[in-house]
Amino acid sequence: MHEIICPHCAKAFKVDESGYADILKQVRDADFAKQLHERLELAERDKQSAIELAKAQVSGDLQKTAAGKDAEIQELKSKLEASEVSQKQAVTEALSAVEKERDTLANALAQAEREKKAASELAEALLASEQHKITAAKEKEIQELKAKLHAVELEKKLAVTEAVGAIEKERDELKNGIKQVQLEKQLSEQSLKDKYETQIKDRDDAIERLKDMKARLSTKMVGETLEQHCETEFNRVRSMAFPRAYFEKDNDARTGSKGDYIFRDADEAGTELISIMFEMKNESDKTATKSKNEDFLKELDRDRTEKACEYAILVSLLEPDNELYNTDIVDVFHRYPKMYVIRPQFFLPMITLLRNASLNSLKYRTELALVKAQNIDITQFENQLETFKNGFLKNTDLASRHFHTAIAEIDKSIDHLQKTKDALIGADRNLRLANDKAQDVTIKKLTRGNPTMAAKFAELKNLPAEAAE
């Protein structure tokens, strides 16, 4: 990189090698042209000065010669006028001499003119020769500079040609790559277009087939077709999503009514997680009297209750223009508890949602049952402890009464049985101590040194009333 300072604003800026070379070439070319122009102007001025000087010299010499001759003529005229009278005879001779001298002077003037012209031509020839030499030297220098410039231009053209060749090659490669990508894109787009057009055509054909089939089916057959669809969808994921589930048609009509399908699922221990009574309803587009979802809710709730199912779900294609049923899962809890109305596309998601909710609920129910079982164990332990204390106290009272009876009997023969009396009195004292200790038994003392039982009793005290129940 080169740094260049602007001569006008004194601002420094940097240029790369190629830019610097271009600027340097421009400066050199401009400077050379300027110097050549100045030298040509200087040579032209030297030529004009030499010509003017030669002309001035010749003109000065002629003027001097003419002035001398004019002075001589004036002097002769003066002498002639002064000696006119005395020299009349010599006038002719003098005039002829003067004319002769005049002719000589004229010839000399002509000679001077020729010499002046010759000098001018010589000066012009010398100037032309000098100019020719200068021009030849300039031409030689110009030719050398032109040769250098031509070589530089050739190198520049060669470099530009190589650079352009490389760029054109890269451009051609890029064009070929772009054409290849565009071709692949067009092929991909055409493939996708054909694929989706085929899918759309298949879907349209399927829709037409379904419309034709629905037009030819009765209401009962349409409903059975929806049942087959739901059963197929469930069996398709049964092995992966519901391996322990029961999903069969409800064939028990002993109560006079039955649903379409019953779903039950259990955990690994066999505990039932969830149970659902399903009813599937559909009708043909050509059915004259259109049914509503509301018409089947009461019977579905009765079937759910009779078959001891937790949830009831109506899978319905009725009321196809009702946005309430078309957008989401609809709960009708305000009419019947734990009842939903869904479209067929929500069939599997609804089962999964309720099953997962039941799994979470089962976990909490299991934890609560465990807490209740622990509470029952602790309560039984306390009851057994109280039973033991009461029985021990009763037995102690009976023993004490029997003891006093025995003492009363023994007192009659105290003299003979003193030792026996002392022993029995000691036994009585020990029994009282045992009774005191039994009465002093508490849960706190029993759990001292047993952190597990202490923690269980502490949890029992902290349990809410409904959990303890």
PDB file of all heavy atoms in Angstrom, residues 2 15-24:
ATOM      1  N   HIS A   2       0.462   2.297  -0.755  1.00  0.00           N
ATOM      2  CA  HIS A   2       1.185   3.560  -0.823  1.00  0.00           C
ATOM      3  C   HIS A   2       0.282   4.668  -0.300  1.00  0.00           C
ATOM      4  O   HIS A   2      -0.936   4.638  -0.515  1.00  0.00           O
ATOM      5  CB  HIS A   2       1.606   3.864  -2.261  1.00  0.00           C
ATOM      6  CG  HIS A   2       2.615   2.863  -2.815  1.00  0.00           C
ATOM      7  ND1 HIS A   2       3.959   3.001  -2.667  1.00  0.00           N
ATOM      8  CD2 HIS A   2       2.414   1.693  -3.493  1.00  0.00           C
ATOM      9  CE1 HIS A   2       4.570   1.980  -3.251  1.00  0.00           C
ATOM     10  NE2 HIS A   2       3.639   1.160  -3.755  1.00  0.00           N
ATOM     11  N   VAL A  15      -3.519   3.894  -1.550  1.00  0.00           N
ATOM     12  CA  VAL A  15      -3.913   3.167  -2.759  1.00  0.00           C
ATOM     13  C   VAL A  15      -3.085   1.901  -2.838  1.00  0.00           C
ATOM     14  O   VAL A  15      -1.975   1.833  -2.306  1.00  0.00           O
ATOM     15  CB  VAL A  15      -3.717   4.032  -4.025  1.00  0.00           C
ATOM     16  CG1 VAL A  15      -4.638   5.232  -4.016  1.00  0.00           C
ATOM     17  CG2 VAL A  15      -2.274   4.491  -4.150  1.00  0.00           C
ATOM     18  N   ASP A  16      -3.621   0.887  -3.534  1.00  0.00           N
ATOM     19  CA  ASP A  16      -2.876  -0.359  -3.687  1.00  0.00           C
ATOM     20  C   ASP A  16      -1.871  -0.230  -4.825  1.00  0.00           C
ATOM     21  O   ASP A  16      -1.747   0.821  -5.470  1.00  0.00           O
ATOM     22  CB  ASP A  16      -3.845  -1.518  -3.948  1.00  0.00           C
ATOM     23  CG  ASP A  16      -4.743  -1.243  -5.135  1.00  0.00           C
ATOM     24  OD1 ASP A  16      -4.455  -0.285  -5.885  1.00  0.00           O
ATOM     25  OD2 ASP A  16      -5.733  -1.968  -5.305  1.00  0.00           O
ATOM     26  N   GLU A  17      -1.165  -1.320  -5.107  1.00  0.00           N
ATOM     27  CA  GLU A  17      -0.073  -1.304  -6.089  1.00  0.00           C
ATOM     28  C   GLU A  17      -0.600  -0.955  -7.478  1.00  0.00           C
ATOM     29  O   GLU A  17      -0.013  -0.155  -8.197  1.00  0.00           O
ATOM     30  CB  GLU A  17       0.610  -2.676  -6.108  1.00  0.00           C
ATOM     31  CG  GLU A  17       1.366  -3.006  -4.811  1.00  0.00           C
ATOM     32  CD  GLU A  17       2.559  -2.087  -4.591  1.00  0.00           C
ATOM     33  OE1 GLU A  17       3.020  -1.503  -5.576  1.00  0.00           O
ATOM     34  OE2 GLU A  17       2.993  -1.952  -3.441  1.00  0.00           O
ATOM     35  N   SER A  18      -1.711  -1.579  -7.892  1.00  0.00           N
ATOM     36  CA  SER A  18      -2.231  -1.322  -9.238  1.00  0.00           C
ATOM     37  C   SER A  18      -2.696   0.127  -9.376  1.00  0.00           C
ATOM     38  O   SER A  18      -2.400   0.797 -10.376  1.00  0.00           O
ATOM     39  CB  SER A  18      -3.383  -2.270  -9.524  1.00  0.00           C
ATOM     40  OG  SER A  18      -4.417  -2.075  -8.584  1.00  0.00           O
ATOM     41  N   GLY A  19      -3.394   0.657  -8.371  1.00  0.00           N
ATOM     42  CA  GLY A  19      -3.834   2.050  -8.414  1.00  0.00           C
ATOM     43  C   GLY A  19      -2.650   3.009  -8.431  1.00  0.00           C
ATOM     44  O   GLY A  19      -2.632   4.024  -9.150  1.00  0.00           O
ATOM     45  N   TYR A  20      -1.637   2.697  -7.600  1.00  0.00           N
ATOM     46  CA  TYR A  20      -0.450   3.560  -7.552  1.00  0.00           C
ATOM     47  C   TYR A  20       0.272   3.553  -8.892  1.00  0.00           C
ATOM     48  O   TYR A  20       0.743   4.587  -9.377  1.00  0.00           O
ATOM     49  CB  TYR A  20       0.478   3.074  -6.438  1.00  0.00           C
ATOM     50  CG  TYR A  20       1.742   3.919  -6.273  1.00  0.00           C
ATOM     51  CD1 TYR A  20       1.669   5.175  -5.673  1.00  0.00           C
ATOM     52  CD2 TYR A  20       2.964   3.472  -6.724  1.00  0.00           C
ATOM     53  CE1 TYR A  20       2.806   5.946  -5.528  1.00  0.00           C
ATOM     54  CE2 TYR A  20       4.099   4.235  -6.593  1.00  0.00           C
ATOM     55  CZ  TYR A  20       4.033   5.489  -5.979  1.00  0.00           C
ATOM     56  OH  TYR A  20       5.162   6.245  -5.846  1.00  0.00           O
ATOM     57  N   ALA A  21       0.361   2.373  -9.531  1.00  0.00           N
ATOM     58  CA  ALA A  21       1.021   2.280 -10.834  1.00  0.00           C
ATOM     59  C   ALA A  21       0.256   3.086 -11.876  1.00  0.00           C
ATOM     60  O   ALA A  21       0.861   3.781 -12.710  1.00  0.00           O
ATOM     61  CB  ALA A  21       1.132   0.822 -11.259  1.00  0.00           C
ATOM     62  N   ASP A  22      -1.073   3.019 -11.842  1.00  0.00           N
ATOM     63  CA  ASP A  22      -1.873   3.816 -12.792  1.00  0.00           C
ATOM     64  C   ASP A  22      -1.646   5.310 -12.588  1.00  0.00           C
ATOM     65  O   ASP A  22      -1.473   6.068 -13.559  1.00  0.00           O
ATOM     66  CB  ASP A  22      -3.353   3.483 -12.611  1.00  0.00           C
ATOM     67  CG  ASP A  22      -3.657   2.061 -13.082  1.00  0.00           C
ATOM     68  OD1 ASP A  22      -2.849   1.529 -13.867  1.00  0.00           O
ATOM     69  OD2 ASP A  22      -4.680   1.503 -12.650  1.00  0.00           O
ATOM     70  N   ILE A  23      -1.651   5.748 -11.314  1.00  0.00           N
ATOM     71  CA  ILE A  23      -1.442   7.183 -11.028  1.00  0.00           C
ATOM     72  C   ILE A  23      -0.048   7.606 -11.470  1.00  0.00           C
ATOM     73  O   ILE A  23       0.152   8.664 -12.079  1.00  0.00           O
ATOM     74  CB  ILE A  23      -1.656   7.447  -9.527  1.00  0.00           C
ATOM     75  CG1 ILE A  23      -3.134   7.201  -9.159  1.00  0.00           C
ATOM     76  CG2 ILE A  23      -1.266   8.863  -9.168  1.00  0.00           C
ATOM     77  CD1 ILE A  23      -3.408   7.272  -7.689  1.00  0.00           C
ATOM     78  N   LEU A  24       0.970   6.771 -11.176  1.00  0.00           N
ATOM     79  CA  LEU A  24       2.356   7.091 -11.551  1.00  0.00           C
ATOM     80  C   LEU A  24       2.492   7.174 -13.059  1.00  0.00           C
ATOM     81  O   LEU A  24       3.154   8.076 -13.594  1.00  0.00           O
ATOM     82  CB  LEU A  24       3.296   6.021 -10.984  1.00  0.00           C
ATOM     83  CG  LEU A  24       4.801   6.301 -11.135  1.00  0.00           C
ATOM     84  CD1 LEU A  24       5.162   7.589 -10.428  1.00  0.00           C
ATOM     85  CD2 LEU A  24       5.617   5.143 -10.583  1.00  0.00           C
TER      86      LEU A  24
END
